[in-house]
Structure formats: C-alpha cells, structure tokens
C-alpha cells in the first residue's frame, strides 16, 4: 500500500515537472524562419516580452552584395537593437537568383523580409500570397513619405512593400574628354544630340558611347509611359509600333554601323566587356547606366582614374518631347513574408531602414526616397574621399533633381521575348520599322493571352 502511494506521488511530481517544462518551452526561440502564421501585434511572442529573453532573429534577403552596404546596415541595426537581431542573405538579381528567393518563400527557409527590384515579380509574389498586406500597419504613411511615385507599387490599391530608393537611368560622362572637345555637360537632350556627342568623342581605342542591352529601350519606354504604365494605347493595344520607337532603333543602328561610335551589338554579346571598367579606364567617353556604377567609380584604389565624372539625364527620343518620363521610378521595395513569426519586428526594421538606416547604401549610389532621410549625409557619404573626382553639380542635378520618374509595368514575359527582336535589329536582320512592328506584335500576343 505504501509503495502504491509512493508510485502515485512520484507520477504526480513527474506530471507537474512536465507541465512546467512545457510552459517554458513554448516561449519561441526567436528563429526568423517563415513557418506558421504571424502573431497578432503586441503579442508576447512578437514583442519579446516575458515569454522569452532570447532576441528575435530576422532574415532579410536582398540583391546587393553584403560588402556594398547591406552588412553595415545589419551591423548598425544589431548594435541598436539587442532584442531584434538581423541577418542578411544575398540573392543575385537575375532569373536564377529570383527563382532561389521564390523557392525559399514557398518553403520553410528563413525569409522574414525581402527586396523586390522588378514589378512583375513583385506582383507575382503578391498574387502567390508571399507578401504581407501592409495596410494592417497604420503608423507610417508611404504616400506621404515617398511621394507620388510610390503609388505605382500599389496592387489592388494596397501596399505590399515599401519602395526605399530612387532608381533612374542616366548617362555618365568623362568630363575631361568633353572639355577637350568643347562640349558642355548636357542638361536636356535627345538621341540626335547623344549621337552627335558620341561621334565627336570617339577616338582610337575609345568608343563614344557604351551601354548594355537594357538601355536600348529606356528612351523608347520613356516615350510611352505617359500613355500607360503598361506601355499601351488608349484602346489597350501595344504602343510600341510608333515613329518614336522606329527612330530610336534607327539612331542606335546608325551609331553602330555608320558612325562606329557605339560598339556593335554582336561584338558586345561575344566579348561581354565590363562596361563600368571600360568607362573608368577611359575606353568609352560616355556610359548609359544607373547609380550602380558608383561601386566602380568610387573605387579609385582598384580602378584609378585621372578624369572627372559628370552626369546627364537619359536622352529622350526627341529633345523637344514634353511628355517624356524617365523610366526608373522608385525601387528597392521591401516586403514582409506573411509566414514570418515576427511581422511587427520586421515592420520596425523597415521604417528604420527607409528613414535613415539605409545610409550605408548611399555609398553605392542608392538615393533614398523617403522625404525624412538625411539627404546631406547621403550625398557626403556617396562622395566621401573622392569629392574632387566628380563634377558634383551635374551629379546632384541628375540624382537629386526633379526629373519626372515613372515605373514601367511591362510584363516580364514580354520584356524577355522582346530582347531577341532588339538583337535582330542591331545585327541588321530586321529593319527598325520591322523591329517596331515585332516589338508590338509580341506585346499584343501577351496582352491577349493575359485577358483570356
């Protein structure tokens, strides 16, 4: 009888211990893995209250190499927020890299937040349920903070991400070469003027202009954006088949084959030159690119140069166009994975990042879009130590001016299928007129398929 009482007492004690341990084990270890549903705002698991003393762990995926700003951002955040620790995971912003991110979002891999650089991919992720509706947060007005360009990232009139930087294309100039030819830094120009500059600046072993495939469509798209962000006419059909598209294709063809001021497209595809390095080495007088070239122009230790760098806005097709919109708009859109366990912590980071925390990214040329960002600090950081190697007036005019910016919503499939058409035009297999018709045909086929 006594042994039976001792057995019952022992079992009672073990049950009590088990219940106590179960209560302690339910505190969550702060793993930022995207499993389960997000807790309600203010819950103990989300706020890191008495249920756990371990820091929340967040993971941010982005396309910029860690050493070009993101790691410093992470380090600064982690120093200021002992209760919420951040890790950065880099994915290459190409088809393979975006597939890697999308696969991670659909699996149990830790992705609490991620950057979006392409609208069609961003929209696809939203439709797949992989981006949190940010309207649940009411303490940050994206429209007010980022300006009217932010609204282009709305889907169904809602934000599923915060656009954090101004992204625009422009032309980098070797100012010393311009000065030698008596050419001023352009403040407004069209493709005719670009062609004229390139012809005058070309020399032995120096191209007048260099640019990658992407930039051939910048003047074209910029001429169509006023009609529609989908680059369509009022009747819903493609707007690519028009005289401005034909002229753009013709000018670039003439620069390659008549003026020989622009590297022939087939040669560029074959040799795959590092265009940013060509520019800093003085092998091209002008480079049509974006702010990403700062990584190279600022790196005077690895890429020493003796000339000053200036900047001009992207050329219109015709200089006198009044409805031209610079393709680019706002970008670097941070979204929250709805499967994160720490949506409130992720939101806290995004606000911090957008309004000041992204300062280390400025050294790589990323221009913050928030009106509350310390712009003077960003400018100082962009040119720190190399101020004398830039024509700062022209750089600031282009990067911080009031150029009308627009975001193209051309679907990714159309963009991909149009590339071979550009290839055929610039290898003289298609005339510019036929090229414009083909660009429109591909676009119309996809528009029709999407409507069915």
């Amino acid at each position: 009888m006594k042994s039976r009482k001792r057995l019952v007492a022992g079992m009672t004690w073990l049950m009590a211990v088990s219940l106590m341990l179960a209560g302690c084990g339910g505190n969550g270890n702060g793993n930022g893995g995207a499993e389960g549903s997000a807790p309600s705002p203010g819950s103990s698991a989300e706020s890191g209250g008495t249920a756990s003393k371990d820091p929340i762990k967040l993971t941010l995926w982005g396309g910029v190499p860690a050493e070009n700003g993101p790691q410093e951002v992470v380090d600064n955040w982690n120093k200021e927020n002992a209760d919420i620790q951040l890790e950065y995971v880099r994915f290459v912003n190409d088809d393979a890299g975006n597939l890697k991110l999308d696969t991670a979002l659909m699996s149990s891999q830790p992705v609490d937040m991620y950057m979006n650089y392409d609208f069609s991919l961003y929209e696809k992720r939203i439709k797949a349920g992989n981006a949190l509706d940010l309207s649940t947060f009411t303490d940050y007005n994206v429209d007010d903070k980022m300006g009217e360009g932010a609204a282009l990232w709305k889907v169904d009139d809602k934000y599923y991400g915060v656009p954090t930087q101004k992204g625009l294309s422009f032309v980098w100039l070797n100012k010393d070469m311009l000065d030698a030819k008596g050419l001023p830094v352009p403040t407004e120009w069209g493709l005719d003027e670009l062609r004229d500059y390139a012809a005058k600046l070309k020399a032995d072993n120096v191209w007048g202009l260099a640019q990658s495939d992407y930039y051939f469509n910048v003047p074209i798209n910029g001429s169509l954006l006023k009609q529609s962000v989908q680059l369509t006419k009022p009747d819903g059909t493609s707007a690519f088949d028009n005289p401005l598209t034909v002229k753009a294709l013709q000018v670039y063809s003439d620069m390659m084959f008549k003026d020989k001021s622009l590297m022939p497209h087939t040669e560029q595809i074959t040799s795959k030159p590092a265009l940013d390095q060509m520019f800093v080495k003085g092998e091209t007088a002008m480079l049509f690119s974006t702010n990403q070239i700062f990584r190279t122009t600022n790196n005077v230790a690895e890429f020493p140069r003796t000339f000053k760098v200036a900047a001009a806005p992207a050329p219109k097709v015709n200089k006198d166009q009044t409805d031209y919109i610079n393709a680019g708009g706002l970008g670097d859109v941070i979204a929250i994975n709805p499967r994160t366990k720490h949506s409130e912590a992720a939101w806290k980071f995004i606000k911090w990042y957008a309004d000041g925390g992204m300062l280390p990214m400025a050294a790589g040329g990323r221009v913050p879009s928030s009106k509350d960002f310390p712009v003077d600090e960003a400018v100082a950081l962009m040119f720190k130590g190399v101020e004398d190697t830039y024509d700062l007036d022209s750089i600031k005019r282009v990067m911080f001016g009031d150029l009308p910016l627009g975001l193209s919503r051309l679907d990714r499939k159309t963009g991909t299928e149009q590339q071979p058409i550009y290839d055929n035009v610039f290898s003289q297999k298609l005339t510019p007129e036929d090229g414009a018709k083909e660009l429109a045909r591909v676009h119309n086929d996809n528009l029709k398929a999407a409507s069915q």
Side-chain angles (χ1 to χ4, degrees), residues 15-46:
M15 289 177 64
V17 171
S18 297
L19 289 170
M20 179 179 68
L21 290 175
C24 293
N27 59 11
N29 62 3
N31 189 338
E35 298 178 1
S37 59
S40 60
S43 68
S44 60
E46 177 64 30

Side-chain angles (χ1 to χ4, degrees), residues 191-256:
L191 287 178
D192 290 330
E193 290 75 25
L194 178 74
R195 179 184 178 184
D196 181 60
Y197 267 57
K200 290 176 179 176
L201 291 167
K202 73 172 185 176
D204 291 340
N205 300 316
V206 179
W207 294 104
L209 172 70
Q211 64 181 67
S212 66
D213 293 350
Y214 169 79
Y215 301 97
F216 289 120
N217 65 22
V218 169
I220 295 172
N221 290 2
S223 298
L224 308 181
L225 278 170
K226 190 73 172 181
Q227 299 181 55
S228 162
V229 292
Q230 285 82 21
L231 308 185
T232 54
K233 299 174 185 176
D235 64 3
T237 61
S238 176
F240 278 98
D241 188 5
N242 70 82
L244 292 176
T245 301
V246 175
K247 177 175 179 177
L249 297 176
Q250 186 67 62
V251 170
Y252 280 126
S253 295
D254 289 343
M255 291 174 71
M256 291 178 194

Side-chain angles (χ1 to χ4, degrees), residues 9 39 44 79 88 147 213 401 423:
S44 60
K79 288 176 184 176
Y88 181 74
D213 293 350
D423 294 343

Side-chain angles (χ1 to χ4, degrees), residues 104-381:
L105 285 169
M106 293 185 291
S107 67
S108 59
Q109 296 182 56
V111 186
D112 295 289
M113 298 170 287
Y114 59 93
M115 287 285 188
N116 296 272
Y117 306 98
D118 175 89
F119 180 83
S120 62
L121 286 175
Y122 165 76
E123 185 176 38
K124 181 180 177 181
R125 288 161 184 157
I126 293 170
K127 299 299 184 184
N130 290 327
L132 185 68
D133 176 4
L134 300 183
S135 63
T136 56
F137 303 108
T138 58
D139 60 339
Y140 193 91
N141 189 316
V142 177
D143 291 305
D144 180 59
K145 290 273 188 176
M146 308 303 177
E148 60 179 331
L152 292 171
W153 287 96
K154 285 184 175 180
V155 174
D156 297 330
D157 205 34
K158 293 180 179 180
Y159 284 111
Y160 291 83
V162 177
T164 59
Q165 73 116 3
K166 295 179 180 178
L168 68 161
S169 303
F170 46 93
V171 180
W172 296 89
L173 309 164
N174 183 319
K175 191 172 185 300
D176 291 16
M177 290 185 181
L178 265 67
D179 291 344
K181 296 290 185 178
L183 298 172
V185 176
T187 56
E188 187 176 20
W189 55 348
L191 287 178
D192 290 330
E193 290 75 25
L194 178 74
R195 179 184 178 184
D196 181 60
Y197 267 57
K200 290 176 179 176
L201 291 167
K202 73 172 185 176
D204 291 340
N205 300 316
V206 179
W207 294 104
L209 172 70
Q211 64 181 67
S212 66
D213 293 350
Y214 169 79
Y215 301 97
F216 289 120
N217 65 22
V218 169
I220 295 172
N221 290 2
S223 298
L224 308 181
L225 278 170
K226 190 73 172 181
Q227 299 181 55
S228 162
V229 292
Q230 285 82 21
L231 308 185
T232 54
K233 299 174 185 176
D235 64 3
T237 61
S238 176
F240 278 98
D241 188 5
N242 70 82
L244 292 176
T245 301
V246 175
K247 177 175 179 177
L249 297 176
Q250 186 67 62
V251 170
Y252 280 126
S253 295
D254 289 343
M255 291 174 71
M256 291 178 194
F257 302 109
K258 289 184 178 180
D259 304 345
K260 302 187 186 304
S261 60
L262 175 62
M263 183 183 295
H265 189 58
T266 51
E267 180 180 337
Q268 185 165 318
I269 291 174
T270 302
S271 60
K272 294 181 173 58
L275 300 181
D276 55 343
Q277 294 183 31
M278 282 180 59
F279 179 68
V280 294
K281 291 177 181 177
E283 296 172 359
T284 180
M286 300 187 292
L287 177 63
F288 203 161
S289 188
T290 66
N291 49 13
Q292 66 186 9
I293 195 182
F294 264 110
R295 302 175 191 173
T296 304
T297 55
N298 276 357
N299 188 358
V300 292
E302 188 175 354
F303 304 108
R305 56 183 171 81
T306 58
F307 64 89
K308 276 195 173 185
V309 175
K316 307 173 184 178
V317 177
N318 293 319
K319 182 180 179 179
D320 60 356
Q321 281 179 258
T322 58
D323 59 352
Y324 186 83
I325 296 177
N326 292 270
L330 305 186
D332 283 16
V333 181
I334 308 184
I336 298 175
N337 185 348
R339 297 174 185 83
T340 180
K341 296 177 181 179
H342 307 296
S343 57
E344 285 283 345
W347 180 240
K348 179 180 179 181
F349 168 78
I350 289 175
K351 293 183 293 181
W352 173 87
Y353 178 86
D355 284 348
M358 67 175 288
L359 185 61
M361 305 295 290
R366 279 177 143 71
V367 181
S369 53
S370 171
K371 68 179 181 61
D372 290 337
F373 199 93
V375 173
D376 290 341
E377 291 182 41
V379 173
L381 189 58

Side-chain angles (χ1 to χ4, degrees), residues 5-70:
K5 289 182 178 179
R6 284 197 296 269
L7 178 60
V8 172
M11 291 178 65
T12 302
W13 179 82
L14 285 172
M15 289 177 64
V17 171
S18 297
L19 289 170
M20 179 179 68
L21 290 175
C24 293
N27 59 11
N29 62 3
N31 189 338
E35 298 178 1
S37 59
S40 60
S43 68
S44 60
E46 177 64 30
S47 62
T50 57
S52 174
K53 294 182 180 179
D54 293 335
I56 290 172
K57 294 180 181 178
L58 295 177
T59 303
L60 167 66
W61 286 49
V64 178
E67 64 273 16
N68 290 330

